[in-house]
Amino acid sequence: MKLRDTGKKLLLIYQSNSGILTAVITIYCIGDWIIHLLQLITVFYVHTLLIADLLIYIPAVVLYCCCLKEMSSKKKVANVLCILLYPGLILIDYGHFQYNSVSLGFALWGVLGVSGHWDVLGSLAFCLALNYKQMELYHSLPFFCFLLGKCFKKGLKGKGFVLLIKLACTVVASFILCWLPFFSEKEQTLQVLRRLFPVDRGLFEDKVANLWCSLSVFLKIKDILPHHTQIIISFCFTFLSLLPACIKLTLQPCPRTFRFSLVTCALSFFLFSFHVHEKSILLVSLPVCLVLSEIPFMSTWFLLVSTFSMLPLLLKDDLLMPTVVTMMAFFIACATSFSIFEKTSEEELQLKSFSISVRKYLPCFTFLPRIMQRLFLISVITMVLLTLMTVMLDPPQKYPDLFSVLVCFVSCLKLLFFLVYFNIVIMWDSKSGRNQKKVN
């Protein structure tokens, strides 16, 4: 209806000298044609998205889950179902019409490759993901550190050096092939780079659940600090927050540390880097999906929060009902498949080593599982209440974005909590992947 009304106004202005009857007939004919065309475009989007999922993303998810050790076939099927039911990716790709599953699918093929000792093929797959969508830079440092750690482990004077040369040649060759069409003119190449890295567009995009958007409620960073200073500060915060995980991954390269490093590095980029979009949280959600079978309680919680953090964007696209339905379906699937509420012990939360370390100084530190359960309950209640307030209440005229800002601020606090949690899991993981579920 909005399209038809806009078309009426434009055509009435355009045909003001052509007669009322002609204008009216043309309006309705072209209006119907535009609506029909949009319907065809929508069908095209949905079908191409489905084909991309069937060819790239879904096979990678199925293969990843099949390669998990110490899991029954029934659990593997349940893991596939839960990952594919993740509401954030479904809503953004099929509701917001984007092809995120293509880049995420290639990235997952890269994870499978480098975790299964097919390092060259894994590097090629990740290069395809990175060249398809530059936001895959969120995952680039874990890939780099993991492969570099492998080279160090094999010895840079022997097999490690050969592997390093192979990887370097693969990356350079794949980038040249992908960028070859843009090398014809220098200005064209620079224009593409400016589009890929839009540093002139500001510190953050719209209402995003990261640190800078949340701080802007109290401190207008965009107005106070010069543009170049904002870039430097965001770089420093991002670099320092991901440094511990990257150092450990380089020194102890193993698939388990690699998967958790993908989570922490992507989350650091989302929370602290420059010019972040709401839907960039999907880049954090993919590696969290990969550890869903290892820490089902925390992973399910995070994936619900990540979808909730995009609520302002989803409401703009009139996706309230699909959001509620998909989130409930995902939660029920995870709760029944993994019995998440029964897996909140220190060992199931991967916090046993950390708790033992703390108990050396605080012997009474035995209440961590209970705290996690209560925090989860509080988190769900706040998400439900904020959703109801956003949908049912009108914000004050003085603060029209009140509810959207509250959603972003609350989501940011939760994501900061998850950043601390996943870093603790990495730094206190003494097993370094032994006796854990891992990809062969």
Side-chain angles (χ1 to χ4, degrees), residues 41-53 56-57 89 92-94 96-106 132-133 279 282:
I41 292 172
T42 302
V43 171
F44 171 79
Y45 267 124
V46 171
H47 281 79
T48 50
L49 280 166
L50 187 58
I51 291 170
D53 280 350
I56 301 172
Y57 183 70
L89 185 59
I92 292 298
D93 274 15
Y94 288 89
H96 197 64
F97 295 124
Q98 292 200 349
Y99 295 85
N100 293 288
S101 59
V102 176
S103 59
L104 294 177
F106 278 127
Y132 182 84
K133 204 157 197 174
K279 47 192 174 288
L282 298 178

Side-chain angles (χ1 to χ4, degrees), residues 83-329:
I83 293 175
L84 295 180
L85 280 177
Y86 168 57
L89 185 59
I90 295 172
L91 292 166
I92 292 298
D93 274 15
Y94 288 89
H96 197 64
F97 295 124
Q98 292 200 349
Y99 295 85
N100 293 288
S101 59
V102 176
S103 59
L104 294 177
F106 278 127
L108 184 48
W109 281 110
V111 171
L112 284 164
V114 299
S115 299
H117 305 295
W118 295 85
D119 298 322
V120 173
L121 292 177
S123 300
L124 176 61
F126 182 69
C127 287
L128 293 176
L130 184 55
N131 282 284
Y132 182 84
K133 204 157 197 174
Q134 79 277 16
M135 299 310 293
E136 280 296 328
L137 284 169
Y138 283 31
H139 299 146
S140 58
L141 278 176
F143 270 91
F144 174 79
C145 293
F146 186 43
L147 292 171
L148 183 64
K150 281 189 173 185
C151 294
F152 286 149
K153 197 172 182 179
K154 292 184 178 182
L156 288 179
K157 294 183 178 180
K159 293 182 179 180
F161 182 75
V162 175
L163 176 60
L164 186 63
I165 296 299
K166 288 181 180 179
L167 294 173
C169 292
T170 302
V171 172
V172 171
S174 59
F175 266 78
I176 288 175
L177 288 175
C178 290
W179 281 78
L180 200 57
F182 306 105
F183 285 152
S184 57
E185 297 179 9
K186 180 181 178 180
E187 184 56 36
Q188 187 179 25
T189 306
L190 294 175
Q191 180 65 22
V192 173
L193 289 172
R194 282 192 291 267
R195 294 286 295 172
L196 290 176
F197 304 102
V199 293
D200 295 329
R201 290 175 62 182
L203 189 56
F204 53 87
E205 183 81 7
D206 210 357
K207 301 296 183 295
V208 57
N210 75 344
L211 181 68
W212 310 122
C213 183
S214 300
L215 281 179
S216 66
V217 178
F218 311 102
L219 189 67
K220 301 298 180 184
I221 301 174
K222 285 184 175 181
D223 301 330
I224 296 174
L225 298 176
H227 188 73
H228 68 278
T229 306
Q230 296 174 28
I231 295 176
I232 293 172
I233 291 175
S234 62
F235 170 79
C236 292
F237 269 78
T238 307
F239 179 74
L240 292 174
S241 64
L242 56 78
L243 189 61
C246 289
I247 290 174
K248 179 159 186 180
L249 181 60
T250 306
L251 298 176
Q252 299 177 5
C254 70
R256 173 181 162 80
T257 307
F258 174 53
R259 291 194 296 275
F260 280 100
S261 296
L262 285 170
V263 178
T264 56
C265 290
L267 189 51
S268 294
F269 271 102
F270 180 81
L271 286 169
F272 305 121
S273 65
F274 192 87
H275 193 69
V276 176
H277 292 259
E278 307 99 313
K279 47 192 174 288
S280 299
I281 194 66
L282 298 178
L283 294 157
V284 191
S285 301
L286 174 69
V288 174
C289 287
L290 302 186
V291 299
L292 182 60
S293 59
E294 298 178 51
I295 43 172
F297 178 78
M298 296 300 292
S299 297
T300 302
W301 184 4
F302 176 89
L303 294 171
L304 290 173
V305 171
S306 68
T307 305
F308 171 75
S309 71
M310 296 185 287
L311 184 64
L313 176 63
L314 297 172
L315 291 178
K316 283 182 183 178
D317 294 328
D318 296 324
L319 293 174
L320 174 62
M321 190 54 64
T323 300
V324 174
V325 172
T326 52
M327 287 183 74
M328 289 181 64

